[in-house]
Amino acid sequence: MALITALISGIIFGVGLALGGMLDPSKVVGFLDLFGVWDPSLAFVMGGGVIINVIGHQIIARRSRPICDNQFHLPMTKTITLPLIIGSVLFGIGWGVTGLCPGPAVASTFVNIDTGISFIVAVIAGLVIGKIVLKQLRPA
Amino acid sequence: MTIDMEHFTPLASLAGGILIGLAALILMAMNGRVMGISGILGDAFLNNPISGLWRWAFLGGTLVSPFVYLLWAEELLPRPVAAGSTLLIGGFLVGLGSAIGSGCTSGHGICGLARFSLRSFVAVMVFMISAIITVYLMPHGA
């Protein structure tokens, strides 16, 4: 059951990315090109996603646990840390250069096989190394 | 600043955003998990694959999603902005940065902001500014 709901969530997520324009790197860069010819569309993607979640969370928060698991798995860290800042700067550079963030990178894997597979491999390599680095930085 | 009216798609993008938000709500309500793709993708490779099978199910859904979209949409034409080594280095930075920064556009940008997380708010501000400066500095068509 938990696998089916995760699969459905993944499909809806990717269809939303495609419909919203997030799978088109030029459109993403057009949104980030604030000082050029600016395409504000992706602000609507983020706005729509956040508003639905703000409303939905009010309903989910009334439950003590999710339907297919014993507990909600929420991030424990609450403080602003140096890795949070440095990581976000690096992520922003990569996103600006390629026009692809991790979600669209996954969804694009088989859309354009020539570049999709090598790109997702590069993202995964960065993720694995980054997670190992982050583990070293954290006090045991 | 000039608004690019030619490519502006407020309705489709709002609808896409609502679907993305809905996907995040389903994952939280059913599986109790934050829909952060950098976390799901990284942990899929680093954590126990059996107890973390839901991650592979989610990623499988996202992998096939463009073809589900094309069942009714006419076309999906990504226009790449980077190629070759630039694309690979950029991809590596996307992965490295979102791992070190504990999240990306989905986890911080959608889920974190909706939970009013201060960390996510800071992360979104930082990566937006970083990406806007990067695009400003990159050679690109006017």
Side-chain angles (χ1 to χ4, degrees):
Chain A
M1 176 71 174
L3 294 183
I4 294 169
T5 56
L7 176 76
I8 291 169
S9 169
I11 293 173
I12 296 175
F13 171 64
V15 170
L17 290 176
L19 181 62
M22 296 288 295
L23 299 191
D24 180 3
S26 291
K27 193 170 181 68
V28 175
V29 168
F31 170 65
L32 297 169
D33 196 8
L34 203 61
F35 301 105
V37 185
W38 186 48
D39 176 359
S41 305
L42 300 197
F44 287 72
V45 176
M46 191 174 255
V50 172
I51 290 167
I52 288 293
N53 267 272
V54 169
I55 299 165
H57 269 292
Q58 308 304 318
I59 301 159
I60 294 176
R62 288 184 202 148
R63 293 183 55 95
S64 58
R65 64 183 197 89
I67 293 165
C68 305
D69 201 338
N70 297 323
Q71 55 166 319
F72 290 108
H73 304 265
L74 292 169
M76 293 301 184
T77 319
K78 302 282 177 216
T79 49
I80 308 301
T81 57
L82 197 57
L84 181 84
I85 308 284
I86 293 171
S88 297
V89 170
L90 295 177
F91 165 59
I93 295 171
W95 190 31
V97 166
T98 63
L100 290 162
C101 49
V106 173
S108 302
T109 304
F110 297 124
V111 173
N112 190 349
I113 294 189
D114 294 343
T115 55
I117 294 177
S118 54
F119 184 74
I120 195 70
V121 169
V123 174
I124 293 166
L127 276 171
V128 169
I129 292 172
K131 286 197 174 270
I132 293 167
V133 169
L134 191 63
K135 215 170 233 177
Q136 300 295 318
L137 291 174
R138 271 188 192 140
Chain B
M1 187 209 290
T2 320
I3 302 282
D4 182 0
M5 292 308 290
E6 191 193 335
H7 296 111
F8 188 36
T9 52
L11 285 181
S13 288
L14 183 67
I18 289 171
L19 285 181
I20 293 168
L22 209 59
L25 282 178
I26 292 171
L27 201 64
M28 181 55 73
M30 307 303 285
N31 299 63
R33 298 285 179 168
V34 174
M35 194 192 71
I37 313 309
S38 57
I40 293 175
L41 186 58
D43 288 340
F45 286 92
L46 288 172
N47 282 20
N48 185 333
I50 303 301
S51 63
L53 209 56
W54 68 272
R55 293 192 180 92
W56 290 102
F58 179 89
L59 293 170
T62 307
L63 279 172
V64 301
S65 64
F67 307 101
V68 175
Y69 171 74
L70 284 172
L71 292 178
W72 79 86
E74 277 175 27
E75 56 180 18
L76 184 64
L77 290 173
R79 298 163 293 160
V81 292
S85 55
T86 314
L87 185 72
L88 294 184
I89 293 166
F92 182 78
L93 284 177
V94 164
L96 185 75
S98 52
I100 295 175
S102 305
C104 57
T105 13
S106 51
H108 283 313
I110 303 284
C111 304
L113 288 187
R115 287 189 298 113
F116 303 109
S117 153
L118 178 65
R119 265 173 70 84
S120 291
F121 179 76
V122 171
V124 171
M125 287 299 124
V126 172
F127 70 59
M128 286 301 302
I129 292 168
S130 166
I132 287 168
I133 292 173
T134 302
V135 168
Y136 179 73
L137 294 176
M138 269 196 326
H140 57 290

